Amino acid sequence: MVSLGEPRPPTGAAGDLAALAELDETALLGGLRERFLRQLVYTDIGDILIAMNPFQPLPLYGREVAERYRHHQTGMLPPHIFAVATRAYHAMLGRRGGGPQNQCIVISGESGAGKTESTKLLLQHIMNLCKGNSQLEQQILQVNPLLEAFGNAQTVMNDNSSRFGKYIQLRFQNNTVRGAKLSEYLLEKSRVVQQDAGERNFHIFYYMFAGLSSEEKDMYGLLDPSLYRYISGWFGTQDVAQHWKHKYQEVCNALDMVGFQEQEQVDMQAILAGVLSLGNVTFEPEESNGSVKVNEASRGWLKAAAGQFGVQEDELLKCLICTMSVTRGEQIHRFHTQQQAEDARDSIAKVAYGRVFGWIVCKVNELLAENVDPEVELGEIGILDIFGFENFAVNRFEQLCINLANEQLQHFFNHHIFQMEQAAYKEEELPWETITFNNNEPVLNLLLAKPLGLLSLLDEQSAFPQATDKTFVDKLNNTFKGNLHFQPGRGRVLGFSITHYAGKVQYAAEGFLEKNRDTLPANVHGLFINSVTPLLSVLFTGKSLRYEKASHMNQDPPWQELHVGMRLMCCGCFTAGSSRKTLGKLQPGLGLLAYTGFVPLQKARQVMCLIASKGTKLTIVFVLPATVSRTGTLMPHVKAKIIPGADNKFNSTRKQSAGAQFRHSLMVLMERMYSANPHFVRCIKPNSQKEPGMVDSQVVLLQLRYNGLLETIRIRRDGFSWRPSFEEFAERYRILLVKPDIPLTKESCLEILQSTELTGWICGKSRLFFKYWHQEQLAKYVERLERAAIFIQKVFRAFRCRKSYLKLVAELRAQAQRLQEEAERERSRQLEMEAESQKRIFLPVPMPRKRRPQPCPHPRDKPPQPPVPRPRSKLTESTPFDNFLDRSVPCPVLGTEESTGEEAKMRKLKRGATLRWFKETQAQKVMQDDGAFPSWLHGMISRRGEGRCRHYMIQMQPNARYVILGEDRAHASLTELVRYHQSVGIQPFMEILSIPCGQKSSESLDYEDLECLTSGPAAAKDETPPEEQPCPSRPTTSRPALRSGAAAVLKQVWLRRTKKSQNQQSLDKNSTKRSSGKERGSQRTCPRLHSSIRLAMREIQQFSSTPSNTSLRICCRALSIEDEEPK
């Protein structure tokens, strides 16, 4: 075994298990226990981080801690999740011993180990590292609470368990984030219709019941949560409901921040309400023809579900109780049994929820997509947060897919940590004692091999209509007989067992074929396409998509439309593999060139140039093949719109099974990860009771064993994790020799290393071998040279500036001397002229007496104007407040700066356009109840502090929400924004809006042209027009009168507002008081069939109020936080 140089990490590397003197399970477990009990939840194994879930909040993630880890160096600070984010970020920028390279952070561990929280902390710190002047960072951070609400649920092992996997790709240009992309894997849709004992449905259902006001529940058609079968009538205590209400507000804010339109949010919640109502539809057999019908007690629920989905009640009923097929032009109806009708009901609920979730992911990708030139190369950091290994009392198809993903991640870890490293030692012929590890390739072959793998056999059985779960199990028993990792089920249990890397798991085979087929009643597709709910119609529309906006390509030739001058038109089809010969065979026809698949930029230009050379006039339409996620959701890569009349291939026999889709998405994920430089975070669960401050030795030891951490420590202690080639090392560190033109050879590398004090490295035949801490030590040498270079630059620039300064001083002195000499000559000439004139004049001429100048006193009512400081740059030229540093002297007045006539004209034009936009679109939104314009707003929000005035930029998002740049909360109006930040501080100084700045200026003020001309509270009573009363919010100083045009416009706005308030007051007399939950959207849109939903709710309540059904009315007092029970 190789053991040269330093046998352990350098001193000061506290918390690094690779420094253990004795390496065994007892020492490893004791070290982790000791650190955990001291609330040190992070421990290093070289460059691999172990994170133990504390099950309690810890003061480890504040702003001060994040600042310390911005420039983290191994051995200088304790292990932390922020250190992993910093290493990945700097490695992506090429600051860690190599050129810029894509990075990925793999977070693994069993369910409840803290993977989701680790992902949020990584995102938070990376966004802090690349902090820019945009709202994109906050939008990316808001994606997590949004996806948690729709994709997480409470299980027996974890209160916030991820029931899907996600891979977040952050795209960077230089050191600034430019976009993000999200990939989701295997949403557990079966949880929508069934939960095991002690588990709950997805969080969003409970958040809606706790967060919606009584009016909003009436709008969506939601009753008492105890009535709904899909959430098992289990709501929770008062404290839990209060927590869920807060979470619902966070979800609504996240939707606003990311950019979802209000109508989209309403449609989405209406669909979720429809899913819950559909779950309460029950069936009973018909006595006449053997078919089924809807139970009389659930007729109202069927009507409510139809209204919430925006479809006809009878059409929805047909989809539930029968299946229609067309044979030789004749429609044939096959009626369902009671079990088939219930399966159809559950299938509709699952696919509706799955497609809503997939649409959310697709919409997030569209809103957060990078807006850069496609030819610009972007860096990338990927973060994988995927479901942990699961072994429940009953394990189904979902657990098999989840454990398969964890098997693949464990193989990825083994490949990078053990296989690649030991293969490099063997290739370079280094003396090395092989470290054995638990290789799980046989298990992956058992599950993924073709054609005799478990998933392949499952697809084969799913293709046979007569196949059952029993035939599938029999097929597995015959195929894998004698396999060490497979065991048949014992006794009459319909199932099988697989020995995974983390232990043996017994699977119940019931429902495997049905879940793998993932079928949907054929009529449902056409039913939901014709829905009046726009979102539901989009989710079930055809798969053919057309680009709405083309990519940014070079302008020669144009991309969307090509006009060459001839009237010849051509049509055809091309793909990424089309040759020039194939493209040359385009024939005259329909004028359509179809684009299938993804074509590289070079190929696309070749096609365009070829068409131009043929002299054609062509309109290109791009048709994407169906990219269907495992939830069945279309996932276009760019913003697309639907082509009417698209082919209906939704229920074709070529539709991939759920298992095949998951296997394909897993393969794509592995390809992305293998092409990046990985960083590993291994999450450990200290106990199964989720108790803070307690360590269960058996639970922790089991995780240490199947994760192979003992072997990982050994290979990190004795091995060489960094293995650059000679060329890579010499290219990166040749600066250490301070010589020009260093050849990239082995000799240069050795010369570089000899100039340093590094020990413990090995030189192989084609590469160098370093310990994991050598990169940090080499980085220190480079930083020392960089500081020296900066010092040299500073001295040289100072020398140049001083030289220029001395030259200017010499010129000024020479000029002053010349002026002085000229003045002396002029004075001598004047004296000579006076002497000559005195010779000619004999009589003295009396001179007039000079009056002594009297000092001009300053008027007492007008204080002297202070001097205006010179701004430092053009960016601060219009706001001299920030440049004024002397607090003992009054601040300068805005608008007194000198400017040329052209600049003043342009500024006046821009100001006029801004005021006109504000009058037309925003003025009515920010006027106060008395008609006055708030003096907070004059283009910026200001806060006056001690001798200063701080300004905050407001951004209006495309969904008409207002955000202060850098804040994480969106507001429906500017007035709401000001009111909120009068009590909540603004980042990063946490200052509240206390006193309006007043906008002092010698020019006309913005709010002079914008404020309404009412007098305050008396205006509502006397109804006096605005121009007849003074506005109390105006400053007391004299000001010019308002222009007549602005007064007329604002008078009309005020009259409309007054009339509206009068109508509202008359309506409020007959209505109840609105709850505070309604405040976020006073003009909120409603579902399309709101009246039908209300009628259905009345029918359900009337049926529930009969004496025979009093048992259905189970009161859930935890729901009534601030509202009474809806009528």
Side-chain angles (χ1 to χ4, degrees):
M1 178 180 295
V2 173
S3 182
L4 301 178
E6 300 173 70
R8 64 181 63 187
T11 58
D16 194 340
L17 295 179
L20 288 174
E22 297 180 3
L23 186 58
D24 54 20
E25 290 183 349
T26 304
L28 175 59
L29 183 61
L32 290 176
R33 176 196 293 272
E34 179 186 357
R35 292 181 59 80
F36 180 78
L37 295 179
R38 289 190 290 129
Q39 294 188 345
L40 301 176
V41 296
Y42 296 113
T43 308
D44 280 337
I45 302 179
D47 52 357
I48 301 169
L49 182 71
I50 298 178
M52 297 185 71
N53 191 348
F55 294 118
Q56 62 179 335
L58 294 178
L60 300 177
Y61 313 105
R63 183 183 299 275
E64 298 80 8
V65 178
E67 287 299 320
R68 289 202 301 267
Y69 282 90
R70 284 181 66 91
H71 305 287
H72 170 71
Q73 292 181 354
T74 301
M76 304 299 294
L77 292 172
H80 202 284
I81 190 73
F82 289 168
V84 178
T86 303
R87 282 200 300 265
Y89 179 72
H90 289 306
M92 184 269 300
L93 297 176
R95 299 174 182 172
R96 291 183 54 84
Q101 184 183 0
N102 292 342
Q103 309 292 312
C104 71
I105 303 175
V106 183
I107 308 170
S108 60
E110 67 178 46
S111 181
K115 299 182 297 301
T116 301
E117 292 300 320
S118 297
T119 301
K120 291 191 286 189
L121 292 171
L122 286 169
L123 277 174
Q124 171 190 328
H125 192 64
I126 291 175
M127 293 299 102
N128 186 36
L129 290 172
C130 64
K131 192 71 174 177
N133 193 22
S134 71
Q135 199 63 20
L136 182 60
E137 294 90 352
Q138 288 296 336
Q139 289 178 316
I140 293 174
L141 292 177
Q142 291 298 321
V143 170
N144 259 316
L146 178 60
L147 294 181
E148 278 188 26
F150 286 86
N152 288 27
Q154 176 179 328
T155 64
V156 178
M157 301 175 66
N158 188 2
D159 293 341
N160 188 31
S161 177
S162 297
R163 310 317 300 162
F164 74 108
K166 63 177 179 289
Y167 186 65
I168 306 173
Q169 297 169 263
L170 304 175
R171 308 280 175 76
F172 297 85
Q173 185 177 12
N174 299 327
N175 59 348
T176 305
V177 64
R178 300 305 300 270
K181 182 182 178 183
L182 186 69
S183 303
E184 51 95 9
Y185 306 96
L186 193 69
L187 177 70
E188 190 183 18
K189 295 183 293 182
S190 61
R191 182 168 294 271
V192 176
V193 300
Q194 180 185 3
Q195 306 94 41
D196 293 332
E199 299 192 352
R200 285 184 174 143
N201 210 321
F202 291 104
H203 292 327
I204 186 61
F205 294 112
Y206 306 96
Y207 294 172
M208 287 175 60
F209 280 109
L212 291 173
S213 65
S214 58
E215 292 184 358
E216 291 172 325
K217 291 172 190 171
D218 182 67
M219 179 179 73
Y220 291 117
L222 292 174
L223 297 177
D224 194 281
S226 61
L227 300 176
Y228 293 94
R229 187 177 65 89
Y230 279 170
I231 59 175
S232 305
W234 183 22
F235 194 72
T237 62
Q238 178 82 16
D239 294 337
V240 173
Q242 188 68 34
H243 172 71
W244 285 342
K245 178 182 178 182
H246 176 69
K247 286 291 186 180
Y248 178 76
Q249 294 171 354
E250 288 185 357
V251 172
C252 293
N253 180 65
L255 290 169
D256 290 338
M257 285 288 297
V258 176
F260 286 78
Q261 300 291 336
E262 185 176 4
Q263 183 63 55
E264 294 173 338
Q265 299 181 35
V266 171
D267 291 346
M268 180 173 57
Q269 296 188 73
I271 294 173
L272 296 182
V275 168
L276 292 178
S277 299
L278 185 64
N280 285 4
V281 177
T282 57
F283 305 93
E284 60 184 11
E286 284 268 12
E287 297 180 357
S288 58
N289 54 5
S291 61
V292 294
K293 66 177 181 178
V294 174
N295 194 308
E296 192 65 28
S298 60
R299 276 283 180 181
W301 293 110
L302 178 65
K303 183 180 298 183
Q308 289 155 342
F309 286 144
V311 298
Q312 296 293 328
E313 179 184 355
D314 54 347
E315 295 295 330
L316 179 59
L317 178 61
K318 289 180 182 178
C319 295
L320 294 173
I321 65 174
C322 68
T323 301
M324 184 192 70
S325 60
V326 180
T327 304
R328 297 180 180 180
E330 296 183 1
Q331 293 185 355
I332 301 176
H333 294 270
R334 295 184 177 88
F335 289 96
H336 292 163
T337 64
Q338 184 172 350
Q339 183 62 45
Q340 289 174 337
E342 292 174 354
D343 292 343
R345 174 200 63 198
D346 293 343
S347 296
I348 294 173
K350 289 188 294 185
V351 77
Y353 188 86
R355 294 205 173 191
V356 167
F357 183 81
W359 171 79
I360 291 174
V361 174
C362 182
K363 185 74 174 178
V364 167
N365 288 336
E366 177 186 340
L367 294 171
L368 301 184
E370 59 274 8
N371 186 19
V372 297
D373 192 332
E375 293 187 353
V376 175
E377 186 175 355
L378 300 178
E380 182 178 299
I381 297 178
I383 302 177
L384 178 64
D385 174 24
I386 206 163
F387 15 61
F389 188 87
E390 294 181 348
N391 188 1
F392 297 145
V394 180
N395 300 285
R396 301 184 176 89
F397 175 74
E398 292 82 7
Q399 277 68 47
L400 177 67
C401 295
I402 288 171
N403 293 339
L404 168 60
N406 282 272
E407 287 281 358
Q408 192 71 65
L409 291 182
Q410 180 66 20
H411 180 266
F412 179 76
F413 178 81
N414 291 339
H415 176 77
H416 275 274
I417 301 300
F418 296 104
Q419 292 179 336
M420 287 181 60
E421 188 166 328
Q422 298 190 100
Y425 301 151
K426 185 177 180 180
E427 180 183 353
E428 298 288 325
E429 298 180 358
L430 297 182
W432 176 259
E433 182 180 340
T434 303
I435 296 177
T436 58
F437 60 94
N438 183 17
N439 192 351
N440 64 339
E441 284 188 11
V443 183
L444 288 176
N445 292 333
L446 169 70
L447 297 172
L448 297 176
K450 293 184 179 181
L452 297 179
L454 189 147
L455 290 184
S456 298
L457 296 176
L458 180 60
D459 289 344
E460 178 185 321
Q461 290 293 307
S462 300
F464 294 114
Q466 303 302 324
T468 62
D469 295 326
K470 187 178 185 307
T471 61
F472 168 63
V473 173
D474 293 340
K475 185 76 171 178
L476 294 182
N477 294 337
N478 295 331
T479 304
F480 301 120
K481 186 178 181 180
N483 193 308
L484 298 177
H485 300 277
F486 179 87
Q487 292 182 8
R490 296 181 179 180
R492 297 183 179 180
V493 177
L494 188 64
F496 55 92
S497 299
I498 295 178
T499 305
H500 292 279
Y501 77 99
K504 186 171 70 172
V505 180
Q506 184 175 357
Y507 297 97
E510 183 180 358
F512 262 59
L513 293 183
E514 178 188 354
K515 293 177 180 179
N516 188 56
R517 287 167 180 159
D518 199 17
T519 55
L520 181 70
N523 327 19
V524 175
H525 184 217
L527 172 70
F528 285 155
I529 280 183
N530 298 321
S531 169
V532 297
T533 302
L535 177 58
L536 191 61
S537 178
V538 168
L539 295 181
F540 286 85
T541 313
K543 304 176 183 179
S544 297
L545 302 173
R546 184 173 63 193
Y547 280 105
E548 184 174 306
K549 183 168 63 175
S551 303
H552 297 284
M553 297 187 63
N554 290 348
Q555 299 300 317
D556 255 342
W559 179 239
Q560 277 188 301
E561 214 170 84
L562 186 66
H563 299 275
V564 184
M566 299 184 64
R567 302 184 65 180
L568 176 65
M569 305 175 73
C570 65
C571 72
C573 180
F574 71 93
T575 63
S578 300
S579 63
R580 189 176 181 88
K581 182 177 180 181
T582 304
L583 297 172
K585 296 181 180 180
L586 298 175
Q587 301 296 328
L590 301 177
L592 177 70
L593 183 64
Y595 160 61
T596 59
F598 294 97
V599 175
L601 197 61
Q602 185 177 1
K603 173 67 71 176
R605 290 203 185 108
Q606 177 185 352
V607 173
M608 300 301 296
C609 295
L610 178 62
I611 295 171
S613 64
K614 293 171 67 69
T616 61
K617 176 182 178 181
L618 175 69
T619 300
I620 303 177
V621 176
F622 300 88
V623 181
L624 292 176
T627 305
V628 186
S629 72
R630 34 138 218 91
T631 61
T633 305
L634 301 177
M635 303 293 291
H637 288 261
V638 296
K639 189 177 179 181
K641 65 181 180 181
I642 306 301
I643 295 181
D647 294 336
N648 181 9
K649 298 181 180 178
F650 184 85
N651 291 302
S652 65
T653 57
R654 297 181 181 180
K655 180 179 179 294
Q656 280 190 326
S657 64
Q661 293 179 38
F662 179 67
R663 177 169 53 187
H664 174 72
S665 60
L666 194 61
M667 178 188 66
V668 173
L669 173 64
M670 289 297 108
E671 289 178 357
R672 291 173 180 167
M673 293 171 58
Y674 274 107
S675 63
N677 180 42
H679 304 260
F680 296 100
V681 178
R682 311 290 276 184
C683 295
I684 302 293
K685 185 166 63 172
N687 59 78
S688 301
Q689 293 77 29
K690 297 176 280 190
E691 291 290 337
M694 187 180 77
V695 178
D696 189 332
S697 300
Q698 293 300 322
V699 173
V700 175
L701 190 59
L702 179 62
Q703 297 174 76
L704 297 179
R705 285 173 179 170
Y706 71 66
N707 281 318
L709 292 185
L710 200 63
E711 293 79 8
T712 304
I713 295 173
R714 184 175 293 113
I715 198 170
R716 275 292 175 262
R717 185 182 66 175
D718 300 331
F720 303 87
S721 60
W722 182 36
R723 303 175 295 276
S725 64
F726 294 143
E727 293 78 10
E728 294 173 353
F729 184 82
E731 177 70 26
R732 177 69 178 91
Y733 295 105
R734 59 183 176 183
I735 188 177
L736 296 179
L737 292 180
V738 199
K739 294 181 181 178
D741 302 330
I742 300 296
L744 307 181
T745 60
K746 176 181 178 180
E747 290 73 17
S748 300
C749 296
L750 296 177
E751 186 179 358
I752 293 171
L753 290 171
Q754 289 171 3
S755 66
T756 65
E757 298 178 358
L758 259 64
T759 59
W761 51 272
I762 292 180
C763 180
K765 294 189 300 183
S766 61
R767 61 183 65 248
L768 295 166
F769 293 83
F770 294 97
K771 300 289 185 179
Y772 59 89
W773 65 82
H774 282 150
Q775 279 183 292
E776 296 292 340
Q777 294 182 352
L778 287 170
K780 292 180 181 178
Y781 288 107
V782 175
E783 288 175 4
R784 185 174 63 182
L785 286 180
E786 289 177 349
R787 288 195 298 269
I790 293 173
F791 183 79
I792 294 172
Q793 291 176 356
K794 181 184 69 172
V795 174
F796 177 70
R797 288 174 180 172
F799 170 75
R800 289 184 58 186
C801 292
R802 181 171 179 80
K803 185 177 179 180
S804 301
Y805 171 75
L806 294 176
K807 183 178 179 181
L808 290 175
V809 169
E811 291 178 356
L812 290 175
R813 287 176 178 174
Q815 184 179 2
Q817 186 175 0
R818 287 196 302 269
L819 293 176
Q820 184 177 3
E821 292 175 355
E822 291 178 0
E824 291 290 340
R825 287 195 297 267
E826 182 66 20
R827 191 179 300 110
S828 300
R829 191 175 64 83
Q830 291 290 342
L831 292 175
E832 292 177 359
M833 292 177 62
E834 290 178 2
E836 292 178 0
S837 62
Q838 288 178 1
K839 291 179 181 179
R840 291 193 296 266
I841 300 175
F842 301 98
L843 296 177
V845 180
M847 300 293 294
R849 296 183 61 183
K850 293 183 179 180
R851 295 184 59 184
R852 187 174 182 179
Q854 298 293 331
C856 181
H858 292 281
R860 296 182 179 180
D861 56 344
K862 185 177 181 181
Q865 293 291 334
V868 180
R870 182 177 180 182
R872 292 191 295 269
S873 66
K874 288 287 184 180
L875 297 177
T876 58
E877 195 167 355
S878 61
T879 57
F881 299 101
D882 295 332
N883 302 328
F884 197 76
L885 304 179
D886 189 3
R887 299 187 178 182
S888 62
V889 183
C891 292
V893 179
L894 180 65
T896 59
E897 302 89 350
E898 296 182 1
S899 60
T900 61
E902 195 66 28
E903 291 179 355
K905 183 179 179 181
M906 291 300 299
R907 185 161 40 185
K908 185 177 180 180
L909 289 175
K910 290 180 180 180
R911 180 173 177 274
T914 302
L915 294 178
R916 184 168 60 253
W917 167 82
F918 199 92
K919 289 177 186 177
E920 296 174 356
T921 63
Q922 308 297 315
Q924 190 173 1
K925 300 179 182 179
V926 301
M927 280 195 306
Q928 299 173 359
D929 295 335
D930 57 1
F933 181 80
S935 56
W936 289 101
L937 303 168
H938 55 84
M940 289 177 278
I941 287 184
S942 304
R943 176 198 180 273
R944 182 175 295 281
E946 298 179 358
R948 72 182 188 278
C949 183
R950 197 183 304 280
H951 295 81
Y952 296 99
M953 185 66 68
I954 301 176
Q955 182 179 19
M956 182 178 179
Q957 300 190 152
N959 59 348
R961 293 294 187 266
Y962 301 89
V963 184
I964 292 183
L965 205 63
E967 282 293 306
D968 58 355
R969 185 177 179 88
H971 305 271
S973 67
L974 289 170
T975 306
E976 180 185 335
L977 183 147
V978 172
R979 188 182 301 117
Y980 175 79
H981 285 292
Q982 284 177 336
S983 58
V984 180
I986 303 176
Q987 297 284 352
F989 304 104
M990 299 307 297
E991 297 173 330
I992 63 173
L993 300 177
S994 55
I995 304 173
C997 73
Q999 194 192 6
K1000 298 178 181 179
S1001 176
S1002 60
E1003 300 179 356
S1004 59
L1005 304 179
D1006 290 349
Y1007 56 79
E1008 284 185 3
D1009 297 333
L1010 294 174
E1011 67 182 350
C1012 193
L1013 306 179
T1014 58
S1015 61
K1021 298 180 180 180
D1022 302 336
E1023 297 186 2
T1024 309
E1027 65 272 8
E1028 297 179 11
Q1029 297 181 2
C1031 182
S1033 64
R1034 299 181 185 178
T1036 56
T1037 56
S1038 59
R1039 303 182 299 188
L1042 287 171
R1043 301 180 181 88
S1044 59
V1049 171
L1050 291 171
K1051 179 180 178 181
Q1052 295 176 5
V1053 173
W1054 179 83
L1055 291 175
R1056 287 198 302 268
R1057 186 184 179 93
T1058 305
K1059 184 177 181 181
K1060 182 179 178 181
S1061 63
Q1062 292 174 353
N1063 296 335
Q1064 187 64 31
Q1065 289 176 1
S1066 63
L1067 291 175
D1068 288 343
K1069 293 180 181 179
N1070 302 323
S1071 62
T1072 59
K1073 185 179 180 180
R1074 295 187 176 183
S1075 64
S1076 59
K1078 189 69 177 175
E1079 225 174 85
R1080 69 179 296 270
S1082 59
Q1083 300 179 353
R1084 190 175 187 128
T1085 56
C1086 297
R1088 293 300 191 273
L1089 299 182
H1090 176 51
S1091 57
S1092 300
I1093 297 174
R1094 298 191 64 177
L1095 291 175
M1097 293 298 102
R1098 292 176 184 174
E1099 183 176 337
I1100 294 171
Q1101 291 172 340
Q1102 289 174 2
F1103 183 84
S1104 301
S1105 63
T1106 59
S1108 60
N1109 295 286
T1110 54
S1111 60
L1112 295 177
R1113 302 187 60 186
I1114 304 172
C1115 185
C1116 186
R1117 296 300 179 187
L1119 179 62
S1120 301
I1121 299 170
E1122 60 182 29
D1123 302 321
E1124 295 296 328
E1125 183 177 356
K1127 297 181 181 180

